[in-house]
Amino acid sequence: MKATVKRVHYHQGAAIGHPEGTEITMEAKGNVNKFGLNMTPRVWLNSKIDFGASILFSLFNVVFNQFYVPFAIQQGATSLQTGLLSAAPAIGLLFSPVWANWIEKSGNPKPFVMIPNLIGRMLLLLPAFFADPAVYVVTALVIQLLMGVQAPAYASLVSSLYPPDVRGRIMGYVRVAMGMLMIPLAYLVGNWADASGPEWPLISASAAGVASIFLFNTVRMPKKAMAKPAGPVKRFSFAEQWELVRNNRPLAVMFGATMFAGFGNMLSNPLYQIIQVEVLDLSNAQIGYARVSYFAALLLTYLAAGWIIDRFEIKYVLLCGIAAYAIVPMLYGFIGNYPAVLVGNGIQGVGEAIWDIGILSFVFRLAPGREAVVFGIHLMLFGIRGSIGPLLGASLYESMGLTLLLGAAAACGWIGTLVFAAGNFRRARTKQSEVL
């Protein structure tokens, strides 16, 4: 007869806005061991739900994040509209600190993830039925504004779903599965759009996205409700949020480095689309092959980064991700042919995978219990650089030339890399000398 074991399971930072160690729950069943991870039954269930939802989300991800801008350009989008489309994700995040404060007050991030995602994924039907560049732009802006609500909430939600000792690997494994599916999907969507146009890929992506969020809504939160902050409810205070950064030097260094490198990436992002569609005149199938390169690198990086993050200092992983954003514009700007597009997409996949789970894990370790607020600041900074960068790149490329702009983007990436390296490795040497 198998004995049941009562375990005290600690959820670090589960109650956002509270000091760490705010929640203790009793798991009545023994832990399970899957894929080398020791998990409670609730964590194992959540990981399976997360896996299934991510598989469904793959089609939406491929269509909206990889083909949406090329579709709009093929429908006649101007340079300004292309810049707005590239800036839309960042514009949506400008108000993330405000949403983060609201999420922290509520003590329950789940509705802030589910409702905006559901509405946003349904809106993808609009450009399917009204194939006008202006509809593409307005739809993208509204969807990304909704994503600005769910992004800081997701950081807090994940900290409740998964304990710190397995969080990095679970996020990595789930994204590896999603990446494996997106590799053939990128090829199929490209050929599908060449054969029938973007209408049905957009409709199918919307349906898959809605199904994904309905499935993810079934995740089990900790048994004890997440408590709201003690004492009087605080009003939104940008100064109070920034105090967290001023008192945490590693966070300040990360924000400075990602500001430079991220600005370079966003400055060059619309230029990549313009080069692919207008300069190289690539078909949707050829763009699909480039996306296969991107997703293959994304998949391998998720697998490696999730394992490394749980075992080693995260600064080494983040340094590689920041440097990746300096290399890609050099490939487009100084080589600029189709092989450079294929290689550049692969390196971009490496960078984006590391920024995705690496920065989340960095925030989890340095600001437990305040994930939503700190991640909201990170997203707001992304909103600033991501709004200015694409509009600047798209509006200046005809007068300044692609090579000069891409060279400037690469320079920003290398500055960010040096800032991060100097701030983290100098700090490590200082600590070592103090010990000696």
Side-chain angles (χ1 to χ4, degrees), residues 261-273:
F263 177 77
N265 180 58
M266 295 309 298
L267 177 70
S268 56
N269 197 50
L271 305 180
Y272 301 155
Q273 315 290 339

Side-chain angles (χ1 to χ4, degrees), residues 2-14:
K2 192 172 182 179
T4 58
V5 181
K6 284 193 175 183
R7 296 182 181 269
V8 177
H9 184 62
Y10 170 67
H11 301 274
Q12 186 177 20

Side-chain angles (χ1 to χ4, degrees), residues 26 53 68 72 88 160 167 184 202 217 219 273 325 350 365 420-421:
M26 300 299 295
Y68 192 81
S160 297
R167 188 182 296 141
L202 289 167
N217 191 45
V219 293
Q273 315 290 339
Y325 282 173
V350 171
R365 293 185 183 184
F420 188 81

